[in-house]
């Protein structure tokens, strides 16, 4: 066989090229029925949540009753979770936090210290000193 | 607007017996009162032990994304109503896995529409309204699952989806690169629509699956009767391989059905890829060929694959020489284009391979022979990766006025 195939792994997903799937798949709203810190959260669930869930049909919404501080948790396609405590927040602040979780990619927040790598080739190609015109070549 | 409150109900606790003090003080006894009461019921239910499938305890669900035809008429479903409407799991589960086809009942549409994970998945994949939720539930039910004898499984849908996927992916590869050798075509097809690739696709859709459980020695896999069937509709169900301790060693153990027969098992990747194929098969049946094709292009063929990296040549210089002879081109000759540091440790050579005065390819290397080989490889890749950029034949079916143009057909692979 003159040409053999090398296994280089499966194709790589490019979310947004073709189909786009929102990375946030589920949002959990945890509230307490008695706690004063959940006053805003209770109002949010009562007033805003229905509209928010209607705007985001692809997200599964879950409302959990538990004693303690209110919490919003986002579950993402990469298997990670992100939680934001919303104790003592007003409904308008909780709206912002819920949107933040909805728009998040689910990736861990890290400071990018490495050069950005891409799965695509550079449009300009790789620079080669040997393929330059002779007058521009470096003379040793 | 439809908000549905769904969750497992504790049979011991009567929701109507919850004292008014549990309700939120100062709130009207309308919607919020019901929500609050339901929450108390749910908190009790979280104490329950769950069965084989991975269920999330202690929850109530709101979702609003059911297709309009499936939306319940009332905006709110209270726990007491839900109890009456709920399928009783023991009656469903008492049927054996090995029952004949007559024992298979269709998915109950009204119950399936309550599964928030399914409804959200339907919206997330932007499936058309005519794609029924019961078909989606069926796609998640593998032939090896615990519900396979009770509800229809996905084997027919995945078979159809597999053929469609194979056809469109093969057409895409062959029409894009008509000169690719067969080995490369097979590898590219595997990278686009093999089990591993489709598993990655299914996982990127946020589909949850049953987790294999570790079984202790001498203990049977215990199946609880009261698991929440509605939530179970929304996870990928399959007979997963299960580890157990046998004689001091950890190994796969057999799983048994309720009637004592051995249960079929399946790998996760097979089950998940069959689910993705079933989605495509279902789309073809519900919405037609064009919708299925568009879905394949959007979700499968939009993924990145560098086909030029799949090649491995055994005798590139010889193969190039045979290719030139076949195509009646002048025999390829390697010529030095540039070099540096010949007598040093870090010599670099740039060699071009020419057929007559035409440069077929160039390569760089630490030695002359390395550069020569690379040049031949580049020339061969330039030949094999020829892409005429013509529309595939299936594209003419969408527009009746489009005229079919015959495509380029390669004379075949070079024989060394």
């Amino acid at each position: 066989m003159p040409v053999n195939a090398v296994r280089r792994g499966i194709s790589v997903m490019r979310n947004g090229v073709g189909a786009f799937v929102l990375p946030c798949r589920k949002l959990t709203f945890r509230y307490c029925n008695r706690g004063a810190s959940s006053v805003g959260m209770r109002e949010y669930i009562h007033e805003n949540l229905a509209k928010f869930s209607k705007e985001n049909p692809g997200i599964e919404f879950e409302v959990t009753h538990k004693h303690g501080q209110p919490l919003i948790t986002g579950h993402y396609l990469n298997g990670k979770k992100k939680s934001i405590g919303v104790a003592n927040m007003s409904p308008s602040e909780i709206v912002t936090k819920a949107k933040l979780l909805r728009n998040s990619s689910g990736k861990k927040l890290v400071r990018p210290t490495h050069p950005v790598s891409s799965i695509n080739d550079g449009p300009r190609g790789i620079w080669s000193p040997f393929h330059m015109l002779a007058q521009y070549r470096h003379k040793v | 607007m439809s908000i549905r409150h769904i969750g497992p109900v504790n049979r011991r606790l009567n929701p109507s017996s919850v004292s008014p003090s549990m309700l939120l003080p100062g709130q009207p006894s309308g919607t919020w009162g019901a929500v609050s009461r339901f929450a108390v019921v749910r908190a009790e239910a979280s104490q329950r032990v769950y069965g084989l499938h991975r269920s999330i305890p202690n929850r109530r669900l709101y979702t609003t994304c059911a297709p309009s035809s499936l939306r319940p008429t009332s905006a709110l479903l209270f726990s007491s109503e839900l109890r009456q409407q709920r399928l009783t799991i023991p009656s469903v589960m008492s049927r054996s896995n090995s029952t004949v086809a007559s024992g298979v009942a269709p998915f109950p549409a009204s119950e399936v529409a309550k599964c928030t994970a399914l409804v959200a998945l339907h919206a997330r994949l932007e499936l058309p309204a005519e794609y029924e939720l019961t078909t989606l539930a069926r796609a998640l039910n593998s032939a090896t699952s615990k519900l396979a004898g009770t509800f229809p499984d996905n084997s027919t849908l995945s078979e159809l989806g597999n053929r469609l996927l194979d056809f469109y992916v093969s057409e895409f590869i062959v029409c894009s690169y008509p000169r690719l050798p067969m080995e490369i075509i097979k590898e590219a097809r595997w990278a686009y629509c093999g089990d591993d690739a489709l598993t990655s696709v299914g996982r990127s859709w946020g589909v949850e699956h049953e987790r294999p459980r570790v079984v202790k020695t001498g203990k049977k896999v215990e199946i609880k009767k009261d698991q929440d069937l509605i939530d179970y509709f929304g996870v990928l169900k399959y007979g997963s391989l299960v580890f157990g301790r046998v004689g001091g060693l950890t190994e796969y153990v057999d799983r048994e059905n309720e009637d004592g027969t051995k249960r079929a098992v399946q790998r996760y990747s097979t089950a998940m890829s069959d689910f993705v194929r079933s989605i495509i098969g279902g789309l073809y049946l519900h919405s037609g060929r064009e919708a299925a094709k568009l879905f394949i292009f959007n979700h499968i063929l939009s993924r990145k694959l560098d086909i030029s990296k799949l090649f491995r040549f055994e005798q590139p210089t010889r193969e190039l020489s045979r290719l030139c002879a076949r195509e009646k081109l002048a025999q390829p000759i390697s010529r030095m284009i540039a070099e540096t540091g010949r007598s040093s440790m870090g010599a670099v050579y740039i060699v071009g391979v020419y057929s007559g005065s035409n440069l077929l390819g160039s390569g760089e290397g630490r030695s002359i022979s390395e550069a020569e080989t690379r040049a031949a490889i580049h020339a061969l890749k330039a030949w094999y990766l020829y892409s005429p950029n013509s529309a595939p034949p299936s594209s003419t079916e969408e527009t009746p006025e489009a005229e079919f143009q015959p495509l380029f057909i390669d004379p075949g692979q070079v024989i060394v």
Side-chain angles (χ1 to χ4, degrees), chain A residues 1-6, chain B residues 179-184 310-323 326 373 376-377 380-381 383-384 412-416:
Chain A
M1 192 62 72
V3 182
N4 290 317
V6 193
Chain B
R179 280 180 182 155
L180 280 187
M182 194 56 213
E183 292 295 308
I184 310 294
L310 304 180
F311 287 86
R312 196 185 71 206
F313 296 97
E314 279 180 5
Q315 297 168 300
T317 44
R318 187 172 164 181
E319 193 174 339
L320 183 64
S321 161
R322 297 303 293 262
L323 175 66
R326 195 187 77 179
T373 310
I377 287 174
L380 283 171
K381 279 189 180 176
W383 169 264
Y384 282 128
Q413 202 181 333
V414 183
I415 296 162
V416 177

Side-chain angles (χ1 to χ4, degrees), chain A residues 2-66:
Chain A
V3 182
N4 290 317
V6 193
R7 183 143 289 190
R8 296 279 186 197
I10 58 169
S11 52
V12 182
M13 180 188 169
R14 289 182 290 188
N15 201 2
V17 180
F20 174 72
V21 180
L22 192 75
C24 178
R25 65 171 177 85
K26 184 169 162 186
L27 284 175
T28 309
F29 295 82
R30 198 180 86 183
Y31 75 101
C32 174
N33 256 353
R34 294 183 198 164
S37 61
S38 284
V39 168
M41 185 62 155
R42 290 195 296 257
E43 201 186 329
Y44 174 81
I45 291 172
H46 196 51
E47 303 291 334
N48 307 59
L49 187 58
K51 184 167 168 281
F52 186 57
S53 66
K54 198 179 181 185
E55 286 165 359
N56 298 284
I59 301 177
E60 193 181 342
F61 285 85
E62 184 179 277
V63 182
T64 311
H65 167 257
K66 196 181 177 192

Side-chain angles (χ1 to χ4, degrees), chain B residues 34 41 45 61 95 198 202 207 217 270 276 329 406:
Chain B
V41 175
L61 303 167
R95 295 185 202 165
L198 293 185
V207 178
T217 319
T270 321
V276 176
L329 298 170

Side-chain angles (χ1 to χ4, degrees), chain B residues 279-413:
Chain B
I279 293 287
I280 293 162
L283 200 56
Y284 180 78
L285 293 176
H286 278 300
S287 309
R289 195 190 56 81
E290 270 180 51
K293 183 187 174 186
L294 192 67
F295 191 87
I296 291 170
F297 271 77
N298 283 344
H299 286 273
I300 313 286
L301 290 173
S302 65
R303 291 162 69 90
K304 167 85 178 179
L305 178 69
D306 193 349
I307 292 182
S308 70
K309 286 186 178 156
L310 304 180
F311 287 86
R312 196 185 71 206
F313 296 97
E314 279 180 5
Q315 297 168 300
T317 44
R318 187 172 164 181
E319 193 174 339
L320 183 64
S321 161
R322 297 303 293 262
L323 175 66
C324 288
R326 195 187 77 179
E327 297 297 318
K328 298 190 171 52
L329 298 170
Q331 276 301 296
I333 295 166
S334 298
R335 294 199 188 102
M336 187 77 77
I337 294 174
E339 64 165 88
T340 181
R342 183 181 276 257
S343 53
S344 75
M345 213 174 71
V348 176
Y349 302 92
I350 306 289
V351 169
V353 58
Y354 291 81
S355 168
S357 59
N358 297 320
L359 179 66
L360 302 179
S362 72
E364 71 289 337
R366 303 290 298 273
S367 68
I368 294 173
S369 65
E370 187 189 339
E372 212 177 336
T373 310
R374 281 181 196 269
I377 287 174
H378 285 159
L380 283 171
K381 279 189 180 176
W383 169 264
Y384 282 128
L385 290 169
Y386 163 67
S387 186
N389 199 18
S390 51
S394 71
S395 64
T396 55
E397 293 170 17
E398 283 137 30
T399 44
E401 65 274 8
E403 201 176 323
F404 174 71
Q405 297 289 333
L407 264 70
F408 176 83
I409 298 176
D410 179 58
Q413 202 181 333

